[in-house]
Amino acid sequence: MFHDVVIVGAGPVGLMLACELRLAGTPVVVLESGSEPGAQAPGVALNAGVVELLEMRGLMDACRAEGFEFPMAHFAHIWLDPTQLADRYPFNFAIPHSRLVHHLAERARSLGVDLRLGQRVVEVTQDDESVRTRIETPSGEQTVRSRYLVGCDGVDSRVRQAAGIGFPGDEQPFHGTVADLAVGPDSPLGELVGAREYPAGLVAVTPMGPGRVRLLTGEFGVEPPRRDGAPDLAEIQDSVRRIAGVAVTGGTLAWSARWFHVTRLAERYRAGRIFVAGDAAHTHFPLGGQALSTGLDDAVNLGWKLAADLGGRAPEGLLDTYHTERHPAGARACRTTRAQVALLHPLTELRDIVAELVRFPAVNEYLGMMVGGTDTRYPVEPAGGDAHPLAGRQLPGIAAAARSVPGLAEAWAAGHAVLLDLTGDDSLGEAVGGSAKRVTLLRSAPLPHVDAAAVLLRPDGRVAWAAPAGGDTAGLHAALTAVAGAPAQGS
């Protein structure tokens, strides 16, 4: 059978991409080697950018019952104050990433995604017309043919390797463990709740429910004792003792894994009909949910573009903009996490100076948006003159806008492009014209934090075009064509 899109990997990025494609009406198959999506995802934090994205797609309500909001953020465990940011962004949210994957898998299945478990990729080949993916399944080998293949299969991505995409970078001497433990009320780990830095490394303890914690350790300047196999309880306890000087006894190990200090960035995000996203495209030290936010942004960026191409409404070169927009974002995530590691180890006077600097509102704002994943701006080529300051950015105040503009939450949840007419004079209806089937026109009074009279939002929530208050609509037709295709195509 010939498929439009095959995604390898049912982690958060692969499932998010699958949902994006289905919202656009594109059939998609997801191949996952494991028996359950994301069962051992180690993360526990959603940064502001991820919360915005999940709000936009109507997924946060399912998460709220299993986690909690916290108005804090950090740069290298130097605490920032997100309540002071000028633009209105949501706060970070604590929830095990395994539960986020569970909710994404439920959404994917409800949208009709063909999710196939126990499917291990063996070989990938492509030609000008299609991609062939040979897989091992419980019933034997099969070959799946598709127009496009997307590798969301992690750091050791078979898809990336088969596509011949280089993955340069480096690994630093470091060894980390992460584990879920059942502990009693008198456990010494109760004294270590939060994230703590020591000369030898890091210890972080996060409550996960009654009598259960997630324990993370990281030792700098050491070679991993081994790379395969999960650490046992004794090894984890020894790590806490070496780093923090705390003797941890008792407890029952529910799950554990190792992690390392590796920074790598794919040389390109596309090779012919093959794309990479998430950890298959970029990997770095895990800090503050930045790996998750960068990967999910990959997914929503690529999703609408693949759907537009398969639907015959993509302008020339649209698929190539996935690399030109997301590769710099991946590079920045690698660079900024390197900077944070440099402040985490060794503990120096420089760290003290940065802690003083974050008291300045401008520094707090800059770093807060960086670690929250809300400062990314894609390059925009305006039709004439300078691009509006909002162009290429996520719309500020997503949650507030969704509450204020009738129909906006529904349009975003459905993955639509949206033209917001904030002029109050119904002047943009004619401009949408033949694009009306692919662009939702909504009218509203002016919005706080949105200094524009009209805003065209791509399906991923990015501002494709905006007009200043009292300004003309020059460039709107070109922007509509770039987002929704020429009106004559299927309108």
Side-chain angles (χ1 to χ4, degrees):
M1 183 176 178
F2 190 78
H3 303 281
D4 282 338
V5 181
V6 169
I7 298 169
V8 179
V13 177
L15 291 170
M16 190 75 191
L17 175 58
C19 290
E20 293 293 296
L21 289 165
R22 286 302 302 137
L23 287 175
T26 302
V28 58
V29 174
V30 178
L31 306 176
E32 166 58 39
S33 61
S35 59
E36 182 182 351
Q40 297 181 346
V44 293
L46 310 182
N47 66 19
V50 173
V51 176
E52 276 195 328
L53 180 57
L54 298 180
E55 289 273 19
M56 197 171 73
R57 290 296 185 254
L59 287 159
M60 268 308 294
D61 286 345
C63 295
R64 283 196 176 90
E66 300 183 83
F68 58 91
E69 179 183 87
F70 57 100
M72 300 177 71
H74 70 84
F75 181 82
H77 292 175
I78 297 171
W79 294 101
L80 309 171
D81 185 358
T83 67
Q84 300 302 312
L85 298 187
D87 285 335
R88 187 177 304 171
Y89 291 102
F91 297 136
N92 289 4
F93 194 85
I95 183 175
H97 288 184
S98 58
R99 297 306 301 164
L100 172 61
V101 173
H102 170 79
H103 294 306
L104 285 169
E106 284 194 333
R107 174 64 62 88
R109 289 186 173 105
S110 72
L111 291 171
V113 171
D114 186 354
L115 177 56
R116 304 179 183 181
L117 304 177
Q119 315 273 307
R120 190 178 73 87
V121 172
V122 176
E123 182 182 44
V124 176
T125 58
Q126 67 170 317
D127 54 34
D128 291 342
E129 302 297 326
S130 66
V131 184
R132 289 176 172 81
T133 305
R134 186 160 62 89
I135 54 177
E136 287 182 353
T137 78
S139 58
E141 282 199 356
Q142 298 178 7
T143 296
V144 178
R145 188 172 172 229
S146 59
R147 289 186 64 180
Y148 293 110
L149 177 72
V150 186
C152 302
D153 50 340
V155 175
D156 299 319
S157 169
R158 288 178 176 268
V159 173
R160 185 191 63 243
Q161 295 171 28
I165 298 174
F167 202 41
D170 59 59
E171 179 173 354
Q172 300 297 316
F174 178 89
H175 181 239
T177 67
V178 58
D180 283 355
L181 300 173
V183 297
D186 298 327
S187 171
L189 290 177
E191 301 175 5
L192 300 178
V193 169
R196 299 170 185 269
E197 308 80 41
Y198 303 88
L202 315 168
V203 174
V205 177
T206 305
M208 302 289 285
R212 187 181 178 98
V213 299
R214 176 155 294 173
L215 170 62
L216 179 144
T217 71
E219 296 179 75
F220 290 101
V222 302
E223 293 298 330
R226 56 183 295 184
R227 293 188 168 276
D228 58 346
D232 60 21
L233 183 58
E235 181 181 344
I236 295 166
Q237 292 171 336
D238 286 344
S239 183
V240 175
R241 177 183 50 77
R242 286 192 301 271
I243 298 169
V246 176
V248 178
T249 58
T252 302
L253 183 64
W255 165 83
S256 67
R258 303 179 190 277
W259 60 289
F260 311 99
H261 181 190
V262 180
T263 304
R264 298 190 182 278
L265 177 67
E267 292 177 335
R268 50 198 169 121
Y269 282 15
R270 180 187 185 185
R273 294 185 168 275
I274 299 175
F275 299 83
V276 290
D279 288 349
H282 43 78
T283 185
H284 52 75
F285 200 84
L287 282 165
Q290 287 181 267
L292 179 64
S293 63
T294 309
L296 292 182
D297 277 342
D298 292 345
V300 296
N301 186 291
L302 180 58
W304 73 272
K305 294 172 181 178
L306 278 176
D309 179 88
L310 291 163
R313 60 181 185 276
E316 184 177 357
L318 181 64
L319 287 181
D320 289 330
T321 66
Y322 170 62
H323 173 89
T324 59
E325 291 182 347
R326 293 307 304 160
H327 190 268
R332 180 168 170 76
C334 290
R335 187 167 62 253
T336 60
T337 50
R338 281 185 191 273
Q340 292 184 70
V341 173
L343 287 173
L344 282 166
H345 180 79
L347 301 178
T348 65
E349 288 81 359
L350 177 60
R351 180 179 176 84
D352 297 333
I353 295 297
V354 174
E356 292 179 14
L357 289 174
V358 300
R359 299 172 190 168
F360 291 91
V363 177
N364 179 72
E365 174 115 0
Y366 181 84
L367 295 178
M369 293 184 68
M370 175 196 294
V371 300
T374 56
D375 68 339
T376 301
R377 184 182 184 187
Y378 298 148
V380 175
E381 297 181 5
D386 296 329
H388 190 281
L390 286 176
R393 293 183 56 197
Q394 199 84 354
L395 186 73
I398 279 180
R403 290 192 296 267
S404 302
V405 181
L408 182 56
E410 292 78 8
W412 268 337
H416 292 175
V418 174
L419 179 59
L420 285 178
D421 184 350
L422 310 177
T423 63
D425 59 10
D426 196 22
S427 61
L428 298 181
E430 184 176 346
V432 174
S435 301
K437 289 184 179 180
R438 299 185 296 278
V439 179
T440 299
L441 174 62
L442 298 174
R443 299 174 180 88
S444 169
L447 295 173
H449 303 285
V450 179
D451 186 16
V455 179
L456 175 63
L457 297 165
R458 307 186 327 186
D460 59 358
R462 295 283 169 175
V463 176
W465 168 91
D472 60 31
T473 57
L476 176 56
H477 287 286
L480 282 166
T481 299
V483 170
Q489 296 179 356
S491 63

